[in-house]
Amino acid sequence: VEKIAQVLAETMGKIKKVILRVSLNYGETLEAKGTSGFNYFNPNLTDKNFTKVVGKGQGDGEAVLVNFGEYVASDEEAVARLGKMGLRPGIPKELADLSKSHPNSSELAACFPVAALGDSWQDPRGDRSVACLDGDASRRDLGRHYSGDWYVRWWFLAFRK
């Protein structure tokens, strides 16, 4: 038990980052992105529900996956921390493109679950959610996670400002 406590104490609060190249296609709809490469794609992930635009056309980018190594109490806190690192939060289209750029990648799967905090949707019940990527090296699910309460296991998709 002491050994486990020591390991946890040494890793808590340490920020981890993984940088991955990604082929971005801002012209393709979220609906089209969901037609292949995912075992599950939440039907509410649509361009109608997630409307934020951060780029045009196609190109390559550098995704930064960030894990804060500790509990983060809100989306706003996570976004503020990313901002202090010179990063902006990713959006659902970028999260889908990241997964498609790295199919069967154990390096990406080691960072699951990943949330894209750059855009959110409020469902008819009034609950706010963001896109999240989960699964493993052979299975990919692009779904929704209700905002807030980001436990230590969560990673956040970001890009340099």
Side-chain angles (χ1 to χ4, degrees):
V1 175
E2 287 181 26
K3 181 110 175 138
I4 293 170
Q6 179 183 357
V7 170
L8 285 174
E10 290 172 359
T11 59
M12 292 298 288
K14 289 191 178 181
I15 296 174
K16 294 179 263 183
K17 291 193 287 188
V18 173
I19 298 173
L20 296 170
R21 297 290 301 159
V22 57
S23 295
L24 298 164
N25 183 351
Y26 293 107
E28 185 178 28
T29 65
L30 265 172
E31 297 88 337
K33 290 177 188 297
T35 61
S36 66
F38 297 98
N39 298 84
Y40 172 75
F41 191 89
N42 187 290
N44 293 302
L45 292 174
T46 66
D47 282 0
K48 179 183 174 196
N49 294 339
F50 291 87
T51 59
K52 187 156 189 186
V53 177
V54 296
K56 293 181 181 180
Q58 298 178 349
D60 290 332
E62 202 171 71
V64 182
L65 301 176
V66 178
N67 176 282
F68 293 112
E70 62 187 3
Y71 173 81
V72 178
S74 68
D75 296 1
E76 295 77 18
E77 181 183 344
V79 170
R81 288 185 184 194
L82 292 172
K84 288 178 183 175
M85 298 169 69
L87 301 170
R88 66 156 179 86
I91 62 171
K93 282 187 178 185
E94 293 168 330
L95 189 57
D97 287 341
L98 174 67
S99 183
K100 289 177 169 264
S101 295
H102 296 275
N104 304 314
S105 166
S106 57
E107 184 178 20
L108 176 57
C111 299
F112 287 163
V114 180
L117 300 179
D119 197 4
S120 64
W121 174 59
Q122 188 169 335
D123 69 22
R125 295 180 305 186
D127 295 322
R128 195 174 130 213
S129 61
V130 297
C132 63
L133 180 63
D134 205 353
D136 57 36
S138 63
R139 178 182 173 81
R140 300 291 168 87
D141 298 334
L142 195 59
R144 293 184 308 135
H145 180 77
Y146 293 102
S147 296
D149 281 344
W150 300 104
Y151 293 95
V152 69
R153 70 186 185 106
W154 280 93
W155 291 74
F156 301 96
L157 174 64
F159 291 85
R160 286 184 177 78
K161 291 182 180 180

